[in-house]
Amino acid sequence: MNFDEIKNKASELLEGNHEKVDQGIDAAAGFIAGKFGHDEQVKTVAEKAKDILPGGE
């Protein structure tokens, strides 16, 4: 399996499970904000991450 095949498979999985991925990003952001503060910055990064992933809005 070459890199392009792996990338395409990962994109397909992200598109098919974007709600779960978004929930994971939100959970990670909540953990980071709780541990280190900077809530608004963490929220902004999390939203941008969700926007660039396949299936994001």
Side-chain angles (χ1 to χ4, degrees):
M1 188 177 275
N2 66 34
F3 179 76
D4 287 332
E5 291 172 337
I6 294 169
K7 181 182 132 193
N8 290 338
K9 184 66 175 173
S11 291
E12 289 172 13
L13 288 171
L14 287 171
E15 285 179 23
N17 297 292
H18 70 88
E19 290 178 10
K20 289 181 182 179
V21 172
D22 286 355
Q23 291 172 352
I25 291 171
D26 289 338
F31 172 79
I32 292 167
K35 190 89 169 165
F36 301 105
H38 306 284
D39 294 0
E40 285 303 312
Q41 292 90 342
V42 172
K43 181 179 177 182
T44 299
V45 171
E47 291 301 318
K48 288 182 181 187
K50 290 190 284 186
D51 288 344
I52 64 169
L53 291 173
E57 297 175 66

Coordinates of all heavy atoms in Angstrom, one line a residue:
M1 N 0.9 -1.2 0.0 CA 0.0 0.0 0.0 C 0.9 1.2 0.0 O 1.8 1.4 0.8 CB -0.9 0.0 1.2 CG -2.0 1.0 1.2 SD -3.1 0.9 2.7 CE -4.3 -0.3 2.1
N2 N 0.7 2.1 -0.9 CA 1.5 3.4 -1.0 C 0.8 4.5 -0.2 O -0.3 4.4 0.3 CB 1.8 3.7 -2.4 CG 0.5 4.2 -3.2 OD1 -0.4 4.8 -2.7 ND2 0.5 3.9 -4.5
F3 N 1.5 5.6 -0.1 CA 1.0 6.7 0.7 C -0.3 7.3 0.2 O -1.2 7.6 1.0 CB 2.1 7.8 0.7 CG 1.6 9.0 1.5 CD1 1.7 9.0 2.9 CD2 1.2 10.2 0.9 CE1 1.2 10.1 3.6 CE2 0.8 11.3 1.6 CZ 0.8 11.2 3.0
D4 N -0.5 7.4 -1.2 CA -1.7 7.9 -1.7 C -2.9 7.0 -1.3 O -4.0 7.5 -1.0 CB -1.6 8.1 -3.2 CG -0.8 9.2 -3.6 OD1 -0.7 10.2 -2.8 OD2 -0.2 9.2 -4.7
E5 N -2.7 5.7 -1.3 CA -3.8 4.8 -0.9 C -4.1 5.0 0.5 O -5.3 5.0 0.9 CB -3.4 3.3 -1.2 CG -3.3 3.0 -2.7 CD -2.7 1.6 -2.9 OE1 -2.0 1.1 -2.0 OE2 -3.0 1.1 -4.0
I6 N -3.1 5.1 1.4 CA -3.3 5.3 2.8 C -4.1 6.7 3.0 O -5.0 6.7 3.8 CB -2.0 5.3 3.6 CG1 -1.4 3.9 3.5 CG2 -2.2 5.7 5.0 CD1 0.0 3.8 4.0
K7 N -3.6 7.7 2.3 CA -4.2 9.0 2.5 C -5.7 9.0 2.0 O -6.6 9.5 2.7 CB -3.5 10.0 1.6 CG -4.0 11.4 1.7 CD -3.2 12.4 0.8 CE -4.2 13.2 0.0 NZ -3.7 13.8 -1.1
N8 N -6.0 8.3 0.9 CA -7.4 8.2 0.4 C -8.2 7.4 1.4 O -9.4 7.8 1.7 CB -7.4 7.6 -0.9 CG -6.8 8.5 -2.0 OD1 -6.7 9.7 -1.9 ND2 -6.4 7.9 -3.1
K9 N -7.7 6.4 2.0 CA -8.5 5.6 2.9 C -8.7 6.4 4.2 O -9.9 6.4 4.7 CB -7.7 4.3 3.3 CG -8.4 3.4 4.2 CD -9.7 2.8 3.6 CE -10.3 1.8 4.5 NZ -11.6 1.3 4.0
A10 N -7.8 7.1 4.7 CA -7.9 8.0 5.8 C -9.0 9.0 5.6 O -9.9 9.3 6.4 CB -6.6 8.6 6.2
S11 N -9.0 9.6 4.4 CA -10.0 10.6 4.0 C -11.4 10.0 4.0 O -12.3 10.7 4.5 CB -9.6 11.3 2.7 OG -8.5 12.0 2.7
E12 N -11.5 8.8 3.4 CA -12.8 8.2 3.4 C -13.3 7.9 4.8 O -14.5 8.1 5.1 CB -12.7 6.8 2.6 CG -12.5 7.0 1.2 CD -12.2 5.7 0.5 OE1 -12.4 4.6 1.1 OE2 -11.8 5.7 -0.7
L13 N -12.4 7.4 5.7 CA -12.8 7.2 7.1 C -13.2 8.4 7.8 O -14.2 8.5 8.5 CB -11.7 6.5 7.8 CG -11.4 5.0 7.4 CD1 -10.2 4.5 8.1 CD2 -12.6 4.1 7.8
L14 N -12.5 9.5 7.5 CA -12.9 10.8 8.2 C -14.2 11.3 7.7 O -15.0 11.8 8.5 CB -11.8 11.8 7.9 CG -10.5 11.7 8.7 CD1 -9.4 12.6 8.2 CD2 -10.7 11.9 10.2
E15 N -14.4 11.2 6.4 CA -15.7 11.7 5.8 C -16.9 10.9 6.4 O -17.9 11.4 6.7 CB -15.7 11.6 4.3 CG -14.8 12.7 3.6 CD -14.8 12.5 2.1 OE1 -15.7 11.9 1.5 OE2 -13.8 13.0 1.5
G16 N -16.7 9.6 6.5 CA -17.8 8.7 6.9 C -18.0 8.8 8.4 O -19.1 8.4 8.9
N17 N -17.1 9.3 9.2 CA -17.2 9.4 10.6 C -16.9 10.8 11.2 O -16.5 10.9 12.3 CB -16.2 8.4 11.2 CG -16.5 7.0 10.9 OD1 -17.5 6.4 11.3 ND2 -15.7 6.4 10.1
H18 N -17.2 11.8 10.4 CA -16.9 13.2 10.8 C -17.5 13.6 12.1 O -16.9 14.3 12.9 CB -17.1 14.2 9.7 CG -18.5 14.5 9.4 ND1 -19.2 15.4 10.0 CD2 -19.4 13.9 8.5 CE1 -20.5 15.5 9.6 NE2 -20.6 14.6 8.7
E19 N -18.7 13.1 12.4 CA -19.3 13.5 13.7 C -18.5 12.9 14.9 O -18.3 13.6 15.9 CB -20.7 13.0 13.8 CG -21.7 13.7 12.8 CD -23.1 13.2 12.9 OE1 -23.4 12.4 13.7 OE2 -23.9 13.6 12.0
K20 N -18.0 11.7 14.8 CA -17.2 11.1 15.8 C -15.8 11.8 15.9 O -15.3 12.1 17.0 CB -17.0 9.6 15.6 CG -18.2 8.8 15.8 CD -17.9 7.3 15.6 CE -19.2 6.5 15.8 NZ -19.0 5.1 15.5
V21 N -15.3 12.2 14.8 CA -14.0 12.9 14.8 C -14.2 14.3 15.4 O -13.4 14.7 16.3 CB -13.5 13.1 13.3 CG1 -12.2 14.0 13.3 CG2 -13.1 11.7 12.7
D22 N -15.3 15.0 15.1 CA -15.6 16.3 15.7 C -15.7 16.1 17.2 O -15.2 17.0 18.0 CB -16.9 16.9 15.1 CG -16.7 17.4 13.7 OD1 -15.6 17.4 13.2 OD2 -17.7 17.8 13.1
Q23 N -16.4 15.1 17.7 CA -16.6 14.8 19.1 C -15.2 14.6 19.7 O -15.0 15.1 20.9 CB -17.5 13.6 19.3 CG -18.9 13.9 19.0 CD -19.8 12.6 19.1 OE1 -19.2 11.5 19.3 NE2 -21.1 12.8 18.9
G24 N -14.3 13.9 19.1 CA -13.0 13.7 19.6 C -12.2 14.9 19.7 O -11.5 15.2 20.7
I25 N -12.3 15.8 18.7 CA -11.6 17.1 18.7 C -12.1 17.9 19.8 O -11.4 18.5 20.6 CB -11.8 17.8 17.3 CG1 -10.9 17.1 16.3 CG2 -11.3 19.3 17.5 CD1 -11.2 17.6 14.9
D26 N -13.5 17.9 20.0 CA -14.1 18.7 21.1 C -13.6 18.2 22.5 O -13.3 19.0 23.4 CB -15.6 18.7 21.0 CG -16.1 19.5 19.9 OD1 -15.4 20.4 19.4 OD2 -17.3 19.2 19.5
A27 N -13.5 16.9 22.6 CA -13.1 16.3 23.9 C -11.6 16.6 24.1 O -11.3 17.0 25.3 CB -13.3 14.7 23.9
A28 N -10.8 16.5 23.1 CA -9.4 16.9 23.3 C -9.2 18.4 23.6 O -8.4 18.7 24.5 CB -8.6 16.6 22.0
A29 N -10.0 19.2 23.0 CA -10.0 20.7 23.3 C -10.4 20.9 24.7 O -9.8 21.8 25.4 CB -10.8 21.4 22.3
G30 N -11.4 20.3 25.1 CA -11.9 20.4 26.5 C -10.8 20.0 27.5 O -10.6 20.7 28.5
F31 N -10.1 18.9 27.2 CA -9.1 18.5 28.1 C -7.9 19.5 28.2 O -7.5 19.9 29.2 CB -8.5 17.1 27.6 CG -7.3 16.7 28.4 CD1 -7.4 16.1 29.7 CD2 -6.1 16.8 27.8 CE1 -6.3 15.7 30.4 CE2 -4.9 16.4 28.5 CZ -5.0 15.8 29.8
I32 N -7.5 19.9 27.0 CA -6.4 20.9 26.9 C -6.8 22.2 27.6 O -6.0 22.7 28.4 CB -6.0 21.1 25.4 CG1 -5.4 19.8 24.9 CG2 -5.0 22.3 25.3 CD1 -5.2 19.8 23.4
A33 N -8.0 22.7 27.3 CA -8.4 24.0 28.0 C -8.5 23.8 29.5 O -8.1 24.7 30.2 CB -9.7 24.4 27.4
G34 N -9.0 22.6 29.9 CA -9.0 22.4 31.4 C -7.7 22.3 32.0 O -7.5 22.7 33.2
K35 N -6.7 21.8 31.3 CA -5.4 21.5 31.8 C -4.5 22.8 31.8 O -3.8 23.1 32.7 CB -4.7 20.4 31.0 CG -3.4 19.9 31.5 CD -3.7 18.8 32.5 CE -2.4 18.1 32.8 NZ -2.5 17.2 33.9
F36 N -4.7 23.6 30.7 CA -3.8 24.7 30.4 C -4.4 26.1 30.4 O -3.8 27.1 30.2 CB -2.9 24.5 29.2 CG -2.1 23.2 29.2 CD1 -2.5 22.1 28.5 CD2 -1.0 23.1 30.0 CE1 -1.8 20.9 28.5 CE2 -0.2 22.0 30.0 CZ -0.6 20.8 29.3
G37 N -5.8 26.1 30.3 CA -6.5 27.3 30.2 C -6.5 27.8 28.7 O -6.5 26.9 27.8
H38 N -6.6 29.1 28.5 CA -6.6 29.6 27.2 C -7.8 29.1 26.4 O -7.7 28.7 25.2 CB -5.3 29.4 26.4 CG -4.1 29.8 27.1 ND1 -3.8 31.1 27.2 CD2 -3.2 29.1 27.8 CE1 -2.6 31.3 27.9 NE2 -2.3 30.1 28.3
D39 N -9.0 29.1 27.0 CA -10.2 28.5 26.4 C -10.5 29.0 25.0 O -10.8 28.2 24.1 CB -11.4 28.7 27.3 CG -11.3 28.0 28.6 OD1 -10.3 27.3 28.9 OD2 -12.2 28.2 29.4
E40 N -10.5 30.3 24.8 CA -10.8 30.8 23.5 C -9.9 30.4 22.4 O -10.3 30.0 21.3 CB -11.0 32.3 23.5 CG -12.2 32.8 24.2 CD -13.5 32.3 23.6 OE1 -13.6 32.3 22.3 OE2 -14.3 31.8 24.3
Q41 N -8.6 30.4 22.7 CA -7.6 30.0 21.7 C -7.7 28.5 21.4 O -7.7 28.1 20.2 CB -6.1 30.3 22.2 CG -5.8 31.7 22.3 CD -6.1 32.3 23.7 OE1 -6.9 31.8 24.4 NE2 -5.5 33.5 23.9
V42 N -8.0 27.7 22.4 CA -8.1 26.3 22.1 C -9.4 26.0 21.3 O -9.4 25.2 20.4 CB -8.2 25.5 23.5 CG1 -8.6 24.0 23.3 CG2 -6.9 25.6 24.2
K43 N -10.5 26.7 21.6 CA -11.7 26.6 20.9 C -11.5 27.0 19.4 O -12.0 26.3 18.5 CB -12.8 27.4 21.5 CG -14.1 27.3 20.8 CD -15.2 28.1 21.5 CE -16.5 28.1 20.8 NZ -17.5 28.9 21.3
T44 N -10.8 28.0 19.2 CA -10.5 28.5 17.8 C -9.8 27.5 17.0 O -10.1 27.2 15.9 CB -9.8 29.8 17.8 OG1 -10.6 30.8 18.5 CG2 -9.4 30.3 16.4
V45 N -8.7 26.9 17.6 CA -7.9 25.9 16.9 C -8.8 24.7 16.7 O -8.7 24.1 15.6 CB -6.7 25.5 17.8 CG1 -5.9 24.3 17.2 CG2 -5.7 26.7 17.8
A46 N -9.6 24.3 17.6 CA -10.4 23.1 17.4 C -11.4 23.3 16.3 O -11.6 22.4 15.4 CB -11.2 22.8 18.7
E47 N -12.0 24.4 16.2 CA -13.0 24.7 15.1 C -12.2 24.7 13.8 O -12.8 24.2 12.8 CB -13.7 26.1 15.4 CG -14.6 26.0 16.5 CD -15.7 25.0 16.4 OE1 -16.3 24.8 15.3 OE2 -16.0 24.3 17.4
K48 N -11.1 25.3 13.7 CA -10.3 25.3 12.5 C -9.9 23.9 12.0 O -10.0 23.6 10.9 CB -9.1 26.2 12.6 CG -9.4 27.7 12.6 CD -8.2 28.6 12.6 CE -8.6 30.0 12.7 NZ -7.5 30.9 12.6
A49 N -9.5 23.1 13.0 CA -9.2 21.7 12.7 C -10.4 20.9 12.1 O -10.3 20.2 11.1 CB -8.7 21.0 14.0
K50 N -11.6 21.2 12.7 CA -12.8 20.5 12.2 C -13.1 21.0 10.8 O -13.6 20.2 10.0 CB -14.0 20.7 13.2 CG -13.8 20.0 14.5 CD -15.0 20.0 15.3 CE -15.3 21.3 16.0 NZ -16.4 21.3 17.0
D51 N -12.9 22.3 10.5 CA -13.2 22.8 9.2 C -12.3 22.3 8.1 O -12.8 22.1 7.0 CB -13.0 24.4 9.2 CG -14.2 25.0 10.0 OD1 -15.2 24.4 10.3 OD2 -14.0 26.2 10.4
I52 N -11.0 21.9 8.4 CA -10.1 21.5 7.3 C -10.2 20.0 7.1 O -9.8 19.5 6.0 CB -8.7 21.9 7.6 CG1 -8.1 21.2 8.8 CG2 -8.5 23.4 7.7 CD1 -6.6 21.4 9.0
L53 N -10.8 19.2 8.0 CA -10.9 17.8 7.8 C -12.0 17.5 6.8 O -13.0 18.2 6.7 CB -11.2 17.1 9.2 CG -10.1 17.2 10.2 CD1 -10.5 16.6 11.5 CD2 -8.9 16.4 9.7
P54 N -11.8 16.4 6.1 CA -12.9 16.0 5.1 C -14.2 15.7 5.9 O -14.2 15.2 7.0 CB -12.4 14.6 4.6 CG -10.9 14.7 4.8 CD -10.7 15.5 6.0
G55 N -15.3 16.2 5.3 CA -16.6 16.1 5.9 C -16.9 17.2 6.9 O -18.0 17.3 7.4
G56 N -15.9 18.1 7.1 CA -16.1 19.2 8.0 C -17.0 20.3 7.3 O -17.3 20.2 6.2
E57 N -17.6 21.2 8.1 CA -18.5 22.1 7.6 C -17.9 23.5 7.6 O -17.2 23.9 8.3 CB -19.8 22.1 8.5 CG -20.4 20.7 8.4 CD -21.6 20.6 9.3 OE1 -22.6 21.3 9.0 OE2 -21.6 19.9 10.2

